[in-house]
Amino acid sequence: MNKDIATPSRTREILQKHGFSFKKSLGQNFLTEPNILNKIVATAEIDEHTNVIEVGPGIGALTEHLARAAHQVLAFEIDDRLIPVLADTLSPYDNIKVVHNDILKVDLTKETANFDQAGPIKVVANLPYYITTPIMMHILESDLAVDELVVMMQREVADRISAKPGTKAYGSLSIAVQYYMEATTAFIVSKTVFIPQPNVDSAILRLVRRETPAVEVTNEKEFFKLTKSAFILRRKTLWNNLLNSYGKDEAKRAWLETSLQQAEIDPKRRGETLSLEEFARLSNALEANKQG
C-alpha cells in the first residue's frame, strides 16, 4: 500500500515539492492523521459498491482513503493550484475523478452520470468552514438522491445542525437539514491534527437520508420561509418575527392570527421552542388560509 498522504512529514513534503501556500480565503486546513481518516471512512460505511462525492480534496489525504474502500470517487476542487498536486498524489488510483469546479455551480446529476447506478451515493468531505452550509444545502436540495453525508465541519455548526427544539443551538439550519436527514455527531476532531491549525475543534457529522421528509408540508418553499422568519430575531416572539416577515397590515395580521389558532400555537412563544411538527402544522395552516 502507498504511504499515507495524511502524515505531517508527507504533507510537508508534498507542499514543498509543489511550492504550495495556503489560501485563507478558501478555508484550507489539511488533516495529518490517518487514523481519523480511517474513522471517517468507517463512519460512512463505505464498501466496494459505494459511489462517493468529495468536496475540497486538498492534496488528496481523505481522497486516497476513500478510493481504497469505495467503488469510485468524484472529487470537486475549486483551487486550480491543487489540480496538478492531486494528479501527482492520486496517480496510484484509477477510481478517482477530480473535477476542477465549484460544487455550488455544477449540475450534480450530470456530473454523477457515470456512477454505478446499483450502488449508494454518499458525500464524504472535510468541508471548507466558510462555506459549509451552502454546500450542504446545495447537495440536499439537488435532484441527486444522496443516501448519506459524513462531513467534517466546525464543531459549533455541527451542534447547530443536530440541535433539538428548546436549545440555544436550534434554528432554521437545524430544521432545514433535519427535514431531509437524521443528524448525529459521530466524533470530535481536535484542531491539533491539521496544517495549518484552525482556531476551533471540528466535528464529524453523519446525516442519513430519511425515506420521506420528517414532516408533511403542502408547500416546501413556504415551510422553509416560515422557519427562517421565526428565527430572524431570536429574542423576539414568533408573532413579532412573523409580522416583520409577512407584513403588518390588517389582512396579514388576521391571516397570521387565524393560522396560529388553527395550528394551536401560542404566538407569544419563541421560534426556538417549536418542533418540526409544529412548524409544519403552522405552515400548512398559513397555506390553507392564503387569500388571492
Side-chain angles (χ1 to χ4, degrees), residues 205-270:
L205 191 72
R206 184 174 185 224
L207 303 166
V208 180
R209 187 174 287 279
R210 301 174 188 275
E211 279 185 28
T212 54
V215 287
E216 223 173 289
V217 294
T218 44
N219 186 330
E220 265 185 18
K221 201 177 157 199
E222 288 302 315
F223 170 72
F224 289 124
K225 183 189 172 184
L226 166 66
T227 59
K228 278 189 180 143
S229 304
F231 292 94
I232 290 172
L233 297 164
R234 285 191 77 93
R235 314 269 332 141
K236 296 276 186 190
T237 61
L238 186 61
W239 178 248
N240 281 330
N241 275 331
L242 294 181
L243 285 181
N244 282 333
S245 192
Y246 291 97
K248 298 179 181 180
D249 62 67
E250 215 169 301
K252 286 280 192 314
R253 281 173 181 269
W255 169 59
L256 290 170
E257 259 173 28
T258 307
S259 302
L260 282 158
Q261 268 170 3
Q262 270 180 17
E264 297 176 352
I265 290 167
D266 182 350
K268 292 201 229 29
R269 285 171 67 183
R270 285 189 187 151

Side-chain angles (χ1 to χ4, degrees), residues 29 50 131 213 226 235 271:
N29 304 95
T50 315
I131 203 166
L226 166 66
R235 314 269 332 141

Side-chain angles (χ1 to χ4, degrees), residues 24-43:
K24 211 170 181 189
S25 63
L26 293 176
Q28 290 167 332
N29 304 95
F30 297 164
L31 192 56
T32 59
E33 176 46 79
N35 291 334
I36 289 170
L37 296 173
N38 286 329
K39 264 179 96 173
I40 293 170
V41 173
T43 300

Side-chain angles (χ1 to χ4, degrees), residues 1-273:
M1 190 182 282
N2 302 293
K3 191 181 166 198
D4 281 334
I5 293 167
T7 61
S9 60
R10 179 99 200 277
T11 299
R12 275 193 280 273
E13 187 189 302
I14 292 164
L15 297 176
Q16 272 169 353
K17 178 182 174 182
H18 293 273
F20 183 83
S21 55
F22 293 93
K23 261 192 189 167
K24 211 170 181 189
S25 63
L26 293 176
Q28 290 167 332
N29 304 95
F30 297 164
L31 192 56
T32 59
E33 176 46 79
N35 291 334
I36 289 170
L37 296 173
N38 286 329
K39 264 179 96 173
I40 293 170
V41 173
T43 300
E45 295 174 354
I46 289 165
D47 61 25
E48 68 275 16
H49 305 293
T50 315
N51 302 296
V52 179
I53 295 171
E54 188 189 7
V55 186
I59 58 171
L62 174 59
T63 325
E64 76 170 352
H65 280 255
L66 294 169
R68 288 171 189 166
H71 176 63
Q72 58 197 120
V73 181
L74 178 66
F76 292 93
E77 180 52 64
I78 198 171
D79 187 349
D80 52 2
R81 301 171 308 146
L82 283 168
I83 302 304
V85 182
L86 289 163
D88 177 18
T89 59
L90 301 176
S91 58
Y93 306 95
D94 60 4
N95 60 340
I96 302 169
K97 182 186 175 189
V98 176
V99 177
H100 179 208
N101 209 335
D102 180 348
I103 184 89
L104 296 176
K105 292 181 178 156
V106 302
D107 178 340
L108 284 171
T109 311
K110 209 167 149 185
E111 291 287 353
T112 54
N114 293 332
F115 270 178
D116 176 5
Q117 301 306 308
I121 298 175
K122 299 186 180 188
V123 174
V124 185
N126 173 9
L127 294 177
Y129 284 174
Y130 75 105
I131 203 166
T132 300
T133 305
I135 290 172
M136 282 185 53
M137 295 317 296
H138 176 64
I139 292 163
L140 293 179
E141 290 167 356
S142 75
D143 294 330
L144 190 65
V146 172
D147 299 85
E148 195 173 316
L149 289 89
V150 173
V151 284
M152 190 189 301
M153 59 187 67
Q154 259 179 296
R155 189 174 181 173
E156 182 203 342
V157 179
D159 289 345
R160 279 168 53 205
I161 288 169
S162 56
K164 299 282 179 267
T167 61
K168 257 188 184 161
Y170 182 71
S172 56
L173 179 61
S174 325
I175 295 163
V177 176
Q178 289 174 34
Y179 176 78
Y180 298 107
M181 318 288 279
E182 285 185 47
T184 48
T185 298
F187 60 96
I188 304 303
V189 181
S190 165
K191 59 187 176 185
T192 58
V193 295
F194 292 91
I195 296 176
Q197 193 171 304
N199 299 324
V200 291
D201 288 340
S202 300
I204 301 295
L205 191 72
R206 184 174 185 224
L207 303 166
V208 180
R209 187 174 287 279
R210 301 174 188 275
E211 279 185 28
T212 54
V215 287
E216 223 173 289
V217 294
T218 44
N219 186 330
E220 265 185 18
K221 201 177 157 199
E222 288 302 315
F223 170 72
F224 289 124
K225 183 189 172 184
L226 166 66
T227 59
K228 278 189 180 143
S229 304
F231 292 94
I232 290 172
L233 297 164
R234 285 191 77 93
R235 314 269 332 141
K236 296 276 186 190
T237 61
L238 186 61
W239 178 248
N240 281 330
N241 275 331
L242 294 181
L243 285 181
N244 282 333
S245 192
Y246 291 97
K248 298 179 181 180
D249 62 67
E250 215 169 301
K252 286 280 192 314
R253 281 173 181 269
W255 169 59
L256 290 170
E257 259 173 28
T258 307
S259 302
L260 282 158
Q261 268 170 3
Q262 270 180 17
E264 297 176 352
I265 290 167
D266 182 350
K268 292 201 229 29
R269 285 171 67 183
R270 285 189 187 151
E272 69 206 51
T273 69

